[in-house]
Amino acid sequence: MSVEPVQQERITVINEAITIEREGAVGWLILTRPGQINAINDQIRQGAPQALSELEDDRQIRVIVIRGEGERGFCAGADIKEKRGEETPLQVRQRLEGSRWIGSLDSISKPVIAAIHGYCMGGGLELALACDIRFAAPDAVFALPETGLGLIPGGGGTQRLCRVVAPGRALDMLLTGDRMTARQAHDIGLVSRLASEAATLREEVLAFAERIAAKPPAASASVKRAARAALELDLRQGLDLELDLFALLAPSKDAREAALAFAERREPRFTGE
């Protein structure tokens, strides 16, 4: 993989709850509230979309990974210590409509991986569901416990979960609020990869992300766009989109380089063109 020299600082602090770390072609978006198991507060709601935008605009970055700091977990959900006054249903609706921060992931063209350890609950699981790939440590624990609190998931959980796992499995999780182990989550397809042990999660996710980053970025962005569109389009529209994207990629410099490198039995040098 050939990329231009990195110009940015390796570490960028967005605010007290969000930090960016650049490692070659991989950009880490880190939740930095370990004392609260990275519970979601307004700093995360505001800082995560800003960090995603920076990484999306950074041409050096080809894959984004979201992880939580600290030993206890990826993200335990909303911070229950955040006090809200009494609100009407309309006021709640307006507040949540104005902070659909997880939805900012839907506009990211680069592959996004959730590196999950420990607790991944409520809004934390909703954040992970909005990522393209979920890579979990063996100690990860998953749940959407909102119905036990007289609520339902409000950050996309009811919609995205049914798009990731079978509807029956999704309703089982949503109605019971039961906790699920990493192995159980892998068995139903909620996560696609498991680390060999919790201590090596970061190392294994980085190696995995670098494998994806080594591929032509336009191809990665296009295949992500086509696959995600399959959830919304009918088959004919999806096939048309796939054909359009294939046609755009076929004459690219990276596609020609891939063919040439194969013929010359060498590693390709992709430039993103």
Side-chain angles (χ1 to χ4, degrees):
M1 178 181 65
S2 173
V3 295
E4 299 170 9
V6 175
Q7 300 298 322
Q8 298 90 343
E9 293 293 331
R10 185 169 182 261
I11 305 289
T12 302
V13 177
I14 301 297
N15 57 35
E16 292 181 357
I18 298 290
T19 295
I20 292 172
E21 181 179 353
R22 294 175 173 86
E23 195 163 1
V26 178
W28 297 83
L29 189 163
I30 308 169
L31 311 179
T32 54
R33 303 189 73 214
Q36 295 76 36
I37 321 179
N38 300 307
I40 299 163
N41 64 356
D42 282 338
Q43 286 191 316
I44 287 179
R45 295 185 189 98
Q46 296 161 11
Q50 180 183 338
L52 286 167
S53 179
E54 286 196 23
L55 292 170
E56 174 78 353
D57 293 340
D58 187 344
R59 293 191 62 189
Q60 308 294 331
I61 298 301
R62 296 188 175 182
V63 176
I64 299 169
V65 182
I66 301 178
R67 68 175 178 89
E69 196 173 74
E71 296 181 358
R72 298 177 67 192
F74 173 75
C75 176
D79 191 341
I80 60 174
K81 294 181 181 179
E82 280 192 321
K83 300 296 183 181
R84 306 283 184 186
E86 290 190 9
E87 296 175 307
T88 66
L90 178 59
Q91 289 171 325
V92 174
R93 179 70 167 76
Q94 290 173 335
R95 173 170 57 80
L96 294 178
E97 179 69 33
S99 64
R100 287 188 171 182
W101 65 281
I102 293 177
S104 61
L105 279 158
D106 295 335
S107 63
I108 302 301
S109 65
K110 297 173 181 179
V112 182
I113 302 166
I116 304 164
H117 75 289
Y119 292 108
C120 182
M121 317 280 278
L125 179 49
E126 291 178 297
L127 173 60
L129 285 167
C131 297
D132 302 311
I133 297 172
R134 284 155 293 282
F135 200 131
D139 69 343
V141 179
F142 303 86
L144 289 169
E146 285 83 354
T147 55
L149 303 173
L151 300 167
I152 67 171
T158 64
Q159 302 304 299
R160 291 191 175 94
L161 183 60
C162 289
R163 286 166 165 79
V164 172
V165 304
R169 292 287 194 177
L171 277 168
D172 186 310
M173 290 186 68
L174 291 163
L175 289 169
T176 65
D178 287 350
R179 296 186 178 189
M180 181 175 290
T181 66
R183 175 55 62 183
Q184 290 170 325
H186 184 265
D187 288 345
I188 68 169
L190 179 56
V191 302
S192 58
R193 292 180 180 265
L194 292 176
S196 56
E197 55 183 294
T200 61
L201 175 65
R202 190 189 186 284
E203 175 186 341
E204 291 182 48
V205 171
L206 177 60
F208 176 67
E210 288 175 335
R211 282 176 52 203
I212 297 174
K215 299 181 184 298
S220 294
S222 294
V223 80
K224 171 177 172 173
R225 179 182 170 189
R228 285 200 161 218
L231 300 174
E232 309 292 341
L233 303 177
D234 63 35
L235 180 59
R236 173 51 57 188
Q237 291 175 312
L239 291 171
D240 286 343
L241 174 61
E242 180 183 84
L243 190 59
D244 289 341
L245 293 171
F246 183 93
L248 287 171
L249 290 169
S252 69
K253 290 183 179 179
D254 278 348
R256 293 198 298 270
E257 166 62 11
L260 184 62
F262 179 80
E264 296 177 350
R265 298 182 180 181
R266 60 171 174 80
E267 288 295 315
R269 295 183 290 271
F270 297 125
T271 63
E273 298 178 0

